[in-house]
Amino acid sequence: MRDPIIGIDLGTTNSVVATVEEGRPRVIPSRVGGRLTPSVVGFTPNTTERVVGAPAQALAKEHPDCVVWATKRFIGRRFTPELVQAARSVVPYPLLGGTTGDVRVKMAGRTVPVTQVAAMILGELKLDAEAYFGREVRRCVITVPANFDDGQRQATREAAAIAGLDVLRLINEPTAAALAYGLSRGFQGHALVFDLGGGTFDVTVLEVTDGVYEVKATGGDSALGGEDFDLKIVDWLLSQIDEPLRESVHRDVVSQHKLKVAAEQAKRELSEYEETLISLAGLGDQSQSARKLTGLETVLTRSFFDQLCEPLSERCLEVCRAVMKDAGMAPSAVDTVLLVGGMTRVPLIRQLVTDFFGKAPSTEVNPDEAVALGAAIQADELARQSGAALLLDVVSNSLGVGVLGGKVRRLIPRNRSVPVVAREIFHPGRHGQTEARIPVYQGESDLQDENRKLGEVVLRNLQAGSRGDTSLEVTFELSNEGLLAVRAVDLQSGLSEEVRMEARPHLPVREADRLVKEQAAYAQKQAQQDARKSEDKFRKLLERGEKLARLLQHSAEENPGEEAQAAVANVRSLLESGHSALQAQDAEQCAHVARQLTQLLAGR
């Protein structure tokens, strides 16, 4: 039997893991039940026990200072005062800087790298998959937003390594969603993926022809998502609190969490109803012994919510206009619009898409699961190498180097097909230099200050001479998953060397090794607990299977026939195999029987 392989959507709000069985992609349920795992991580206040997903969400109700969420917005980013300032308007927990410039978060009195938070979520999804298959799972494909830069992609791979996963490939989320849609429905034509998740927004146009998925253009906003729509409601609720107490409510972590939960719940309810009642109590500074608390009760209508979010809606439209321009297409030329991400369930967004493209979006794809299913399809394709699907992606943001005068010289333009190699000759900034530092930027502006600095290419031991006589050839090589490799050659001496991106944040080697060991120890302990729970669940499942067999036997006696007898024989065979596997302590066979029995009991 082939080793299991999975696809993972590591989301800002929720994460999903999926696989392909019998040619069909399926979501793997979590061990606590449900198909989505909240991307929430915490530590219990007294025992400092790790909690991930739904248990962490529950912990946040009583101890919001022990929990973090939406950390995907900070993974692979460099710690800067500007990032800290921007984060204050999005999340209540503090950001801190690591020794290499990486971003860290504080919860339950502990400082944790954002990369480790991602690893904890990935590790939980890995455990879910191992419980599902009854054996170790290592190989995977992970999706990332199309506008993730090199540092963010490298950090995602680093998190996967800590979690004990081997990443076969990173693929862009919109491409994965289109893959899930196209292969399952035989679609051909131009598809636009409108991906508005919890923390990022991507728009991608693809041409699908005979199993080839060619990205024509992609764009997005890495600081726009469902969290921002929630914050519009939070700000509106804060404005209704009396001035003397407003600031204390704004500063209080417990109060802020209550407002955030209420805002998200209101947004969900407005997807079904025209208005919703918001009622909150116990708002104020919880840290003071003689605290003065207040409450809030108000009604939010769908039409007013739409008005509150108008600036965010316009940002969505700006991205759509830019992508259609880059693709050289009119909005009406798109054959189908696929909605991805939980925010696309909101009527405001669906109406915005309908108005802009002149057609209602497709509702055939589950917006919460499409990306993970596409990742699973790609993972299965990479394992089998059947040639059923070929992905041709593009560069989501231009890449260039900083030159004199604060300008940027573009080497790889946006929407260029990947993989791609670009070379450029540079000269030192002054005579007699023995070291050259070449800054690398991502973005569309001609000015360095208006782009994101990814790092610096450092070339040392140059032969000192006149500026014009020293020629440095810098090569950018961008892989098909958006990872950047840089190489420099001193053409005068003929010497070449691989150079490092010194400004790219990463974890120190010793710390990364320690986190790998910590995760492995946690996973081993958790797997032992899961094994005991799985055995109990399997025994109960076999009991339900016995009842089903008796019902089918009774039905076959009343209505004899080959089909009825075959159904009985099938269940009896599964039960026999299940009891044998249980006796032999064969976890993989138990899991195999459990999957088949569960489908039979569900009537599938």
Side-chain angles (χ1 to χ4, degrees):
M1 186 180 292
R2 195 180 74 192
D3 288 343
I5 187 166
I6 56 176
I8 294 175
D9 173 12
L10 180 62
T12 304
T13 305
N14 293 299
S15 296
V16 188
V17 58
T19 190
V20 172
E21 288 184 309
E22 299 173 356
R24 291 182 57 195
R26 300 178 186 276
V27 169
I28 295 174
S30 71
R31 304 184 320 285
V32 297
R35 297 165 71 85
L36 308 180
T37 296
S39 300
V40 185
V41 170
F43 291 99
T44 53
N46 298 322
T47 62
T48 63
E49 179 184 346
R50 178 195 304 188
V51 285
V52 182
Q57 231 175 15
L59 177 66
K61 294 178 181 177
E62 296 296 328
H63 302 282
D65 58 329
C66 295
V67 174
V68 294
W69 63 90
T71 53
K72 182 178 175 180
R73 285 191 157 187
F74 313 119
I75 191 169
R77 300 286 300 275
R78 187 163 187 80
F79 181 81
T80 63
E82 293 79 14
L83 182 64
V84 172
Q85 186 63 35
R88 281 179 184 152
S89 64
V90 181
V91 294
Y93 51 81
L95 300 189
L96 303 168
T99 55
T100 60
D102 65 297
V103 179
R104 305 187 173 216
V105 293
K106 195 166 186 179
M107 55 176 162
R110 298 178 57 165
T111 301
V112 180
V114 168
T115 308
Q116 185 187 4
V117 175
M120 290 176 178
I121 298 168
L122 289 171
E124 206 66 21
L125 298 175
K126 182 177 187 286
L127 286 168
D128 289 338
E130 289 175 341
Y132 182 78
F133 288 111
R135 59 183 297 191
E136 186 182 26
V137 176
R138 292 194 66 86
R139 298 188 302 163
C140 70
V141 165
I142 299 178
T143 62
V144 293
N147 53 34
F148 254 25
D149 63 31
D150 176 68
Q152 292 167 306
R153 291 169 190 262
Q154 293 283 12
T156 302
R157 275 190 168 273
E158 189 174 32
I162 293 171
L165 290 166
D166 298 329
V167 182
L168 300 184
R169 184 173 174 182
L170 299 176
I171 66 171
N172 291 338
E173 291 166 358
T175 309
L179 193 60
Y181 180 84
L183 280 190
S184 63
R185 290 161 179 79
F187 171 80
Q188 301 217 49
H190 286 96
L192 182 135
V193 180
F194 187 101
D195 184 355
L196 185 57
T200 58
F201 175 47
D202 286 319
V203 174
T204 299
V205 179
L206 304 96
E207 184 175 5
V208 183
T209 311
D210 297 328
V212 177
Y213 292 72
E214 183 178 1
V215 176
K216 293 299 185 182
T218 190
D221 188 330
S222 60
L224 176 62
E227 299 281 337
D228 300 282
F229 287 79
D230 294 345
L231 287 171
K232 287 292 183 183
I233 301 176
V234 169
D235 290 343
W236 175 68
L237 293 174
L238 274 171
S239 70
Q240 297 181 66
I241 295 173
D242 293 338
E243 186 67 43
L245 289 174
R246 190 179 302 163
E247 185 59 31
S248 63
V249 171
H250 181 67
R251 288 196 314 265
D252 183 65
V253 175
V254 174
S255 298
Q256 277 292 303
H257 182 71
K258 286 182 178 182
L259 289 169
K260 173 69 170 63
V261 171
E264 186 175 355
Q265 181 61 31
K267 182 182 69 178
R268 290 175 184 272
E269 289 183 3
L270 288 176
S271 294
E272 296 184 39
Y273 307 104
E274 290 295 328
E275 64 179 38
T276 181
L277 174 67
I278 301 174
S279 182
L280 292 167
L283 300 175
D285 190 347
Q286 312 284 337
S287 63
Q288 300 296 322
S289 54
R291 58 196 181 193
K292 185 176 181 181
L293 303 179
T294 187
L296 175 66
E297 188 165 300
T298 187
V299 172
L300 178 61
T301 65
R302 183 185 291 179
S303 60
F304 186 66
F305 169 72
D306 293 353
Q307 290 179 40
L308 280 176
C309 299
E310 191 172 338
L312 303 179
S313 300
E314 183 54 36
R315 284 169 64 183
C316 291
L317 289 174
E318 285 174 7
V319 172
C320 290
R321 294 186 192 105
V323 170
M324 297 313 299
K325 181 180 178 182
D326 289 343
M329 295 171 60
S332 58
V334 173
D335 296 306
T336 187
V337 179
L338 310 179
L339 299 180
V340 178
M343 258 308 293
T344 60
R345 297 182 186 276
V346 174
L348 166 66
I349 299 302
R350 297 203 168 190
Q351 190 59 51
L352 179 147
V353 169
T354 300
D355 293 344
F356 184 81
F357 293 99
K359 58 176 64 69
S362 169
T363 56
E364 296 178 56
V365 179
N366 184 322
D368 295 313
E369 300 177 357
V371 170
L373 293 173
I377 290 170
Q378 176 66 2
D380 183 65
E381 169 64 25
L382 291 174
R384 292 189 300 111
Q385 297 184 336
S386 67
L390 174 64
L391 305 185
L392 302 176
D393 226 320
V394 298
V395 182
S396 57
N397 297 100
S398 299
L399 294 168
V401 300
V403 294
L404 293 175
K407 300 283 189 178
V408 173
R409 185 186 299 175
R410 199 163 290 139
L411 269 69
I412 302 178
R414 182 179 66 188
N415 288 320
R416 176 84 178 270
S417 296
V418 291
V420 60
V421 177
R423 294 180 177 86
E424 191 75 58
I425 303 296
F426 294 92
H427 300 283
R430 64 180 187 276
H431 300 300
Q433 269 187 241
T434 58
E435 176 179 299
R437 306 182 77 89
I438 305 171
V440 179
Y441 289 92
Q442 171 186 288
E444 309 313 315
S445 175
D446 292 330
L447 301 176
Q448 294 179 21
D449 291 344
E450 295 178 1
N451 290 299
R452 178 182 293 182
K453 186 177 180 180
L454 299 183
E456 287 185 335
V457 176
V458 182
L459 187 60
R460 298 184 172 89
N461 301 319
L462 298 177
Q463 293 186 5
S466 68
R467 178 177 177 274
D469 291 340
T470 306
S471 297
L472 310 175
E473 183 185 67
V474 177
T475 302
F476 283 8
E477 185 172 352
L478 199 66
S479 72
N480 57 8
E481 55 183 77
L483 297 176
L484 180 64
V486 183
R487 184 171 174 267
V489 179
D490 180 351
L491 296 181
Q492 183 181 11
S493 65
L495 296 175
S496 66
E497 62 175 302
E498 295 292 328
V499 293
R500 64 184 184 273
M501 301 286 289
E502 291 200 335
R504 182 166 61 201
H506 56 85
L507 294 177
V509 174
R510 284 189 179 180
E511 183 176 22
D513 290 342
R514 175 178 61 80
L515 294 179
V516 168
K517 292 174 183 175
E518 279 184 17
Q519 178 66 32
Y522 168 81
Q524 183 178 17
K525 179 182 176 182
Q526 201 64 39
Q528 291 171 350
Q529 295 176 10
D530 291 341
R532 290 192 293 270
K533 292 177 183 176
S534 293
E535 184 175 329
D536 291 339
K537 286 173 65 177
F538 188 57
R539 290 183 188 279
K540 292 176 181 176
L541 187 63
L542 290 177
E543 290 175 7
R544 291 174 60 199
E546 294 286 359
K547 291 179 182 178
L548 176 63
R550 288 194 293 271
L551 284 172
L552 290 173
Q553 182 66 50
H554 181 69
S555 177
E557 289 170 359
E558 289 188 342
N559 301 285
E562 290 185 11
E563 190 175 332
Q565 288 299 329
V568 174
N570 182 36
V571 175
R572 289 291 182 199
S573 175
L574 276 176
L575 290 171
E576 184 179 340
S577 178
H579 285 296
S580 298
L582 198 59
Q583 189 173 3
Q585 295 291 294
D586 187 339
E588 185 176 358
Q589 184 60 21
C590 284
H592 177 70
V593 172
R595 294 198 299 275
Q596 292 185 299
L597 261 181
T598 300
Q599 289 181 28
L600 281 175
L601 288 164
R604 295 197 295 268

